[in-house]
Amino acid sequence: MKTIAIEEHFWTPMYRENVSANEFRNFFLSSRSKQLGHDIVEEAMDLGARRLAHMDAAGVDVQVLSFGAPGPQAFGADIAIPMARDANDLLYRTVQAHPDRFAGFAALPTADPAAAAKELERSVTRLGFKGTMIHGHTRGEFLDDKKFWVIFECAEALGVPIYLHPTVPHPDVMKAYFQGYEELCRAAWGFAVDTSCHFLRIVFAGVFDKYPKLKFILGHLGEMLPFAMHRLQDHTYPAAARRGLKKTPMEYLKENMLVTTSGNWYEPAFLCTLLALGADNILFAVDWPYEPNTTGIEFLKKVSISDLDREKIAHLNAERLLRM
């Protein structure tokens, strides 16, 4: 069975120069690396033989690579613009070296929305990338702000998706909910909270009325949204109509959102997602190097679904959405 994994990360030397360390981040990277049996930093920096060896050992045929969080979203335009271009140029060279094994999502300097749209166009039309990954809020600013909509316009015109990836929650949320409990602010809980709230802001801002063909991808089985879809719908559809939205919240989630399996290897959660969204809207991803390729592949092989649905999730949906 062919497998295309679409949330697989890399770092660059410029990333390491600019992304500051702190006590908890250092603890997370060291403890998670020990748990996984590989060094996250070393594996994120590798775009060659060792990465391919890990893929081969597990049975991952293709990785769609993306620049790691917090990406350019953590910086002002002075750093974000050269950082995104540097990451995209490195990614282009990587894909060119192994075109049958790698594809790419563009990094964007969202601090300058016009520059971000220009970089997305360059990355898709000249570098052959399949879309973009944006790491949550841009220093506290969310994408529902209309100054960012030029990025949506560009993505819809190019026919490529936006992967909305988690980042550490908004500074006000960090202070109110996670101060003193930093172990909860990332993958364990805070990532899903921040990303799901961010995506709902985009929905309720009317982005998908303005750009109805635009597709967003959310990782980790949809950042808990499939579980909450009915309750969300039941309690907000009158408010959505009052805002002037053309559809109900659930319709936007079913028509404009796809999700991946990245780093959420729990069959009850998967089955909830499958029932809520259908197999056509779920794509395989691992979240390498924060998750092991072997765990992702074993989950995909053993989860209780039909062979056709397994093929859709493993590669057919990615080939359709990303035109691979």
Side-chain angles (χ1 to χ4, degrees), residues 195-257:
T195 309
S196 59
C197 289
H198 193 170
F199 183 69
L200 291 175
R201 290 177 66 112
I202 292 167
V203 169
F204 279 77
V207 168
F208 299 115
D209 286 344
K210 179 72 171 177
Y211 307 107
K213 296 181 181 179
L214 181 62
K215 302 291 187 182
F216 266 69
I217 306 171
L218 273 64
H220 317 107
L221 296 179
E223 312 293 3
M224 300 189 293
L225 284 173
F227 180 84
M229 279 173 62
H230 180 269
R231 184 169 171 82
L232 172 73
Q233 169 81 0
D234 193 46
H235 284 266
T236 63
Y237 76 85
R242 183 170 180 261
R243 281 180 174 268
L245 298 186
K246 297 177 181 179
K247 299 178 182 178
T248 68
M250 187 177 286
E251 287 176 308
Y252 294 114
L253 267 60
K254 288 186 173 182
E255 295 174 15
N256 298 97
M257 181 183 76

Side-chain angles (χ1 to χ4, degrees), residues 173-193:
V173 175
M174 287 293 296
K175 182 177 180 180
Y177 279 94
F178 298 112
Q179 188 171 341
Y181 297 91
E182 287 80 6
E183 64 269 32
L184 298 177
C185 79
R186 295 173 183 267
W189 195 253
F191 279 1
V193 172

Side-chain angles (χ1 to χ4, degrees), residues 13-42:
M14 187 178 291
Y15 174 104
R16 297 196 68 188
E17 290 171 9
N18 287 280
V19 176
S20 59
N22 58 58
E23 181 182 357
F24 183 75
R25 187 170 186 272
N26 289 342
F27 168 75
F28 166 75
L29 290 172
S30 62
S31 62
R32 184 66 176 166
S33 294
K34 183 178 180 180
Q35 181 181 350
L36 295 173
H38 65 248
D39 187 289
I40 290 172
V41 175
E42 288 184 2

Side-chain angles (χ1 to χ4, degrees), residues 270-285:
F270 174 86
L271 294 177
C272 170
T273 304
L274 181 67
L275 290 170
L277 297 176
D280 290 340
N281 292 310
I282 305 173
L283 299 91
F284 180 66

Side-chain angles (χ1 to χ4, degrees), residues 111-122:
D112 184 334
K118 185 176 180 180
E119 183 63 14
L120 177 58
E121 182 176 19
R122 180 183 84 96

Side-chain angles (χ1 to χ4, degrees), residues 60 261 263 265 284-286 291-302:
V60 176
T261 61
W265 318 121
F284 180 66
V286 173
E291 299 284 340
N293 289 324
T294 50
T295 300
I297 291 292
E298 285 304 306
F299 181 86
L300 179 65
K301 288 180 178 178
K302 294 178 180 179

